[in-house]
């Protein structure tokens, strides 16, 4: 009976929403789409990216010929916008703060069975990835020096999926053997002290870990169970991304946000999305109450999920569960210490969500917090954030201690001015840059930020000497703001940590991924 109730709860989350309000919201979004497109296209003509600055004549011609076209379309659809925009706002105010999508194919059904068998045997190596994709309305996207949101959304989805797809000719036995051998190797390394435990009680308890297991720069994503995404703000273009992701990830939580005048002024949602290969048994979203500047137009917050991973062999009623939290913290906070306040709220919500959804007998295999934290572990401006109590309850595998990262880490925030250079236009080229310190400092933001402002982070210059040579220094190109943290209460055996270059030119961040095994899985 208990299992039936739990299954029913999980199914309810992913049952398509029905009712008049939901259908009215879909209709209003469809009718607002022409106004949305024409408005974005019109204003984006007058925002010039670093790439467009190289072709001023072409930009001028676009303004001359396309301004009247987009303006005419906007005026044409303006009456519809004036009618349905208030309706959209009212409907967003009363709906639940997230949407769940479920899509099964013969491949995902086969994949689910393979994962179930691996977990039942206790040999599964889990994987998680996080990426800030900068999928926002074209107007805002150009402010971040990225264009063509629809193309990027579809292309990003394709690239993620190609890294996850197994050829059918491998068949089930081949995949199971790969999972089995990789986990036996991880178990052997762990027994010999070669794999670090991400849940150590102190940040630098196992000194040999750095020598035995170092992260790397990879041109491809590893096979992952969960993908956490930030800045997927455009509900229209998100459909293109989700259509691709559902080929591999049957469970997706998206369109998360609390819409209200006091929160985001009904502009953009949180941009958070979680795609999972495992059933999601609980979901919630909460919006941060502390924000400044453009944060007043966003519903930044914490997207919370509980994954149903299987059941214990010893007692079939004891569920194997995992928690994945996805967040995006305040950017360009200036002198205001907004991020530490948001971290306070995050910790409280994590504890509350786990207390409400953990059942008696549940075995928690992992608890992960992923996302774009918008602070690094070196910069003077980030000292308070990097010393937050969050890091006493969660472990960062890239970190030695507060204000010091491991030697192999690299930054995850690209310099907009140089992110379209030919040398970083391919995954292989971007990998070469990340592995070369001088080149890395030219293309990634330095971790020496004194104040959180756009001038210092986005338009900051590369430090050079009088002869024009790049000045090499420890924090150069190492502003690592994208994190995967693991709860110390559920220690993990980290088997791999990767800075991934697969999405070169498609986003202004370097995605990160982590592979791990769970000691509690037996």
């Amino acid at each position: 009976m208990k299992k039936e109730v739990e299954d029913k709860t999980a199914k309810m989350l992913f049952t398509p929403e029905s009712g008049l309000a939901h259908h009215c919201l879909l209709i209003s979004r469809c009718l607002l789409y022409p106004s949305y497109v024409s408005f974005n296209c019109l204003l984006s003509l007058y925002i010039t990216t670093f790439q467009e600055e190289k072709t001023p004549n072409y930009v001028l011609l676009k303004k001359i010929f396309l301004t009247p076209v987009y303006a005419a379309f906007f005026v044409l659809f303006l009456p519809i916008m004036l009618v349905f925009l208030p309706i959209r706002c009212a409907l967003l105010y009363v709906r639940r703060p997230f949407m769940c999508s479920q899509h099964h194919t013969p491949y995902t059904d086969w994949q689910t069975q393979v994962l179930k068998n691996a977990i039942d045997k206790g040999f599964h190596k889990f994987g998680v990835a996080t990426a800030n994709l900068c999928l926002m309305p074209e107007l805002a996207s150009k402010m971040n020096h990225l264009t063509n949101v629809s193309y990027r959304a579809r292309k990003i989805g394709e690239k993620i999926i190609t890294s996850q797809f197994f050829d059918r000719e491998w068949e089930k036995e081949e995949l199971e053997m790969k999972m089995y051998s990789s986990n036996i190797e991880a178990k052997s390394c762990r027994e010999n002290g070669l794999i670090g435990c991400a849940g150590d009680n102190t940040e630098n308890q196992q000194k040999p870990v750095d020598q035995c297991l170092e992260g790397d720069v990879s041109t491809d994503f590893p096979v992952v169970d969960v993908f956490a995404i930030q800045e997927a703000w455009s509900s229209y273009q998100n459909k293109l991304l989700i259509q691709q992701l559902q080929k591999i990830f049957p469970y997706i939580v998206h369109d998360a946000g609390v819409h209200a005048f006091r929160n985001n002024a009904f502009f953009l949602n949180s941009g958070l999305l979680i795609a999972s290969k495992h059933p999601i048994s609980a979901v919630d979203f909460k919006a941060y109450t502390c924000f400044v500047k453009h944060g007043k137009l966003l519903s930044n917050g914490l997207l919370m999920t509980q994954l149903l991973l299987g059941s214990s062999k010893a007692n079939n009623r004891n569920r194997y569960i995992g928690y994945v939290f996805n967040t995006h913290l305040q950017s360009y906070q200036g002198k205001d210490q907004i991020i530490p306040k948001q971290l306070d709220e995050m910790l409280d919500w994590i504890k509350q969500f786990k207390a409400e959804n953990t059942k008696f007998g549940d075995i928690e295999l992992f608890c992960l917090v992923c996302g774009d934290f918008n602070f690094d572990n070196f910069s003077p401006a980030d000292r308070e954030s990097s010393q937050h109590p969050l890091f006493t309850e969660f472990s960062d595998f890239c970190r030695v201690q507060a204000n010091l990262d491991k030697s192999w880490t690299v930054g995850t925030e690209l310099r907009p001015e140089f992110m379209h250079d030919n040398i970083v236009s391919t995954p292989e080229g971007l990998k070469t840059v990340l592995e070369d310190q001088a080149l890395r400092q030219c293309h990634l933001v330095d971790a020496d930020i004194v104040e959180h402002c756009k001038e210092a982070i986005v338009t900051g210059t590369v430090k050079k000497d009088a002869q024009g040579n790049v000045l090499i220094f420890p924090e150069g190109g190492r502003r690592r703001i994208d994190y995967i943290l693991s709860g110390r209460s559920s220690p993990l055996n980290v088997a791999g940590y990767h800075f991934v270059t697969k999405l070169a030119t498609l986003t202004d961040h370097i995605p990160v991924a982590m592979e791990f095994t769970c000691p509690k899985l037996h």
Side-chain angles (χ1 to χ4, degrees), residues 8-18 22 25-26 29 95-104 238-239 242-243 246 249-257 269 272-276 278-285 303-307 353:
K8 185 176 180 181
T9 302
K11 288 179 181 178
M12 286 177 61
L13 281 173
F14 286 87
T15 300
E17 293 188 52
S18 58
H22 176 66
L25 179 58
L26 292 179
R29 280 179 165 172
R95 68 151 208 174
R96 68 180 182 181
F98 56 84
M99 292 187 68
C100 298
S101 298
Q102 182 178 203
H103 180 72
H104 292 278
N238 281 355
K239 293 179 181 178
I242 291 171
Q243 285 172 1
Q246 284 181 329
F249 301 96
Y251 306 95
I252 298 178
V253 182
H254 59 101
D255 200 7
N269 60 27
L272 300 176
L273 181 153
I274 292 178
S276 172
H278 302 277
I280 298 176
S281 49
V283 184
D284 198 5
F285 173 83
L303 179 58
M304 302 169 274
T305 59
Q306 181 195 69
L307 308 186
F353 182 76

Side-chain angles (χ1 to χ4, degrees), residues 302-348:
L302 183 68
L303 179 58
M304 302 169 274
T305 59
Q306 181 195 69
L307 308 186
L308 189 57
L309 305 172
S311 56
S312 171
K313 289 186 292 184
N315 187 343
N316 197 42
R317 293 185 178 182
N318 293 346
R319 305 184 304 172
Y320 282 138
I321 60 171
Y323 288 99
V324 178
F325 301 92
N326 187 15
T327 192
H328 188 190
L329 302 180
Q330 174 76 47
S331 61
Y332 313 135
Q333 66 177 358
K335 296 180 180 179
D336 300 304
Q337 289 299 319
I338 299 298
I339 292 178
K341 296 176 183 177
Q342 293 181 340
L343 292 174
D344 289 338
E345 291 184 315
M346 181 199 300
L347 266 178
D348 290 340

Side-chain angles (χ1 to χ4, degrees), residues 381-495:
D382 296 325
R383 290 287 162 81
E384 185 173 346
S385 300
S386 62
Q387 295 174 7
H388 192 273
L390 173 76
F391 294 99
T392 63
E393 299 193 30
F394 287 85
S395 174
D396 178 5
F397 188 71
C398 294
R399 169 182 168 122
V400 177
Q401 61 187 30
N403 309 319
L404 180 63
D405 278 353
K406 294 178 181 177
S407 59
W408 46 262
T409 62
V410 299
T412 61
E413 188 170 19
L414 291 159
R415 295 182 186 272
E417 187 175 357
F418 305 110
M419 66 182 174
H420 294 288
D421 288 356
N422 287 333
I423 192 173
V424 293
S425 62
T426 64
E428 295 75 18
L430 183 53
K431 172 180 166 66
T432 300
V433 167
L434 292 182
E435 293 176 335
D436 182 281
Q437 189 166 0
L439 290 174
R440 185 172 68 237
Q441 288 186 204
C442 291
H443 290 86
L444 272 74
V445 179
D446 299 328
D448 62 348
I449 306 300
V450 177
E451 182 181 337
H452 276 263
C453 60
K454 194 168 185 177
E455 292 73 19
I457 299 173
V458 176
T459 60
T461 57
V462 180
K463 296 176 177 60
K464 297 182 179 181
D465 59 21
Q467 288 72 40
N469 301 314
V470 176
L471 285 173
I472 304 298
F473 64 105
E475 298 81 20
R478 296 181 67 189
R479 182 166 168 77
R480 183 177 62 90
I481 63 175
D482 298 272
Y483 292 76
I484 298 175
L485 307 180
S486 58
R488 297 183 187 276
S489 60
S490 299
L492 309 178
N493 298 312
V494 178

Side-chain angles (χ1 to χ4, degrees), residues 487-522:
R488 297 183 187 276
S489 60
S490 299
L492 309 178
N493 298 312
V494 178
Y497 198 97
H498 315 281
F499 296 90
V500 183
T501 61
K502 183 75 170 180
L503 306 183
T505 72
L506 296 174
T507 180
D508 54 358
H509 284 245
I510 304 295
V512 295
M514 187 172 77
E515 299 170 279
F516 58 92
T517 57
C518 301
K520 294 181 182 179
L521 184 62
H522 54 79

Side-chain angles (χ1 to χ4, degrees), residues 149-360:
V149 181
S150 296
Y151 167 80
R152 288 193 297 110
R154 184 171 56 253
K155 198 69 176 176
I156 287 170
E158 290 174 357
K159 285 182 173 286
I160 292 174
I161 292 311
T162 55
S163 68
Q164 302 297 304
F165 247 125
F166 297 105
D167 294 329
R168 288 299 305 209
E169 61 193 33
W170 286 16
E171 292 303 333
K172 183 175 178 178
E173 293 79 8
E174 182 87 16
L175 177 55
E176 287 182 332
M177 184 58 68
K178 181 178 180 182
M179 288 181 170
Y180 178 84
S181 61
S182 65
N183 284 283
I184 288 296
E185 181 182 354
K187 183 178 179 182
S188 175
C189 291
R190 183 169 68 253
E191 289 173 349
N192 289 282
L194 298 181
I195 291 185
C197 180
D200 294 339
N201 291 326
T202 58
E203 293 183 355
N204 56 353
Q205 183 176 344
Q206 294 189 7
K207 290 291 184 180
V209 171
D210 259 344
Q211 303 167 12
C212 301
L213 179 65
E214 295 186 350
D216 59 38
V217 179
S218 174
T219 58
D220 220 337
F221 289 101
V223 176
V224 299
D225 298 76
V226 186
F227 211 113
I229 289 171
Q230 304 85 46
E231 290 196 8
W233 273 312
S234 176
S235 58
Y236 298 110
Q237 278 76 21
N238 281 355
K239 293 179 181 178
L240 302 174
L241 174 65
I242 291 171
Q243 285 172 1
Q244 295 296 324
L245 293 179
Q246 284 181 329
K247 295 176 181 178
I248 289 291
F249 301 96
Y251 306 95
I252 298 178
V253 182
H254 59 101
D255 200 7
V258 175
H259 295 267
F261 282 113
R262 67 181 181 280
N263 188 49
N264 65 343
F266 292 100
F267 270 74
L268 297 176
N269 60 27
S270 68
L272 300 176
L273 181 153
I274 292 178
S276 172
K277 293 177 181 177
H278 302 277
I280 298 176
S281 49
V283 184
D284 198 5
F285 173 83
K286 291 188 181 295
Y288 294 125
T289 59
C290 300
F291 41 79
V292 291
K293 302 175 183 176
H294 57 280
K296 298 175 181 179
L297 303 178
L298 312 174
S299 185
N300 281 351
L302 183 68
L303 179 58
M304 302 169 274
T305 59
Q306 181 195 69
L307 308 186
L308 189 57
L309 305 172
S311 56
S312 171
K313 289 186 292 184
N315 187 343
N316 197 42
R317 293 185 178 182
N318 293 346
R319 305 184 304 172
Y320 282 138
I321 60 171
Y323 288 99
V324 178
F325 301 92
N326 187 15
T327 192
H328 188 190
L329 302 180
Q330 174 76 47
S331 61
Y332 313 135
Q333 66 177 358
K335 296 180 180 179
D336 300 304
Q337 289 299 319
I338 299 298
I339 292 178
K341 296 176 183 177
Q342 293 181 340
L343 292 174
D344 289 338
E345 291 184 315
M346 181 199 300
L347 266 178
D348 290 340
W349 293 336
I350 289 175
K351 293 175 183 177
Q352 179 184 346
F353 182 76
K354 292 177 66 175
E356 291 175 351
N357 294 285
T358 301
K359 310 294 184 183
F360 177 78

Side-chain angles (χ1 to χ4, degrees), residues 101-144:
S101 298
Q102 182 178 203
H103 180 72
H104 292 278
T105 65
Y107 179 84
T108 59
D109 291 339
W110 168 79
Q111 174 185 253
T112 300
Q113 187 60 45
V114 173
L115 292 173
K116 181 180 182 300
N117 291 343
I119 291 175
D120 286 344
K121 293 176 181 178
F123 293 133
H124 184 55
K125 179 167 69 175
F126 292 92
V128 61
T130 181
N132 181 313
L133 302 183
C134 200
L135 294 179
M136 52 188 75
E138 192 72 27
L139 172 64
S141 183
K142 289 194 71 175
M143 291 179 181
N144 287 271

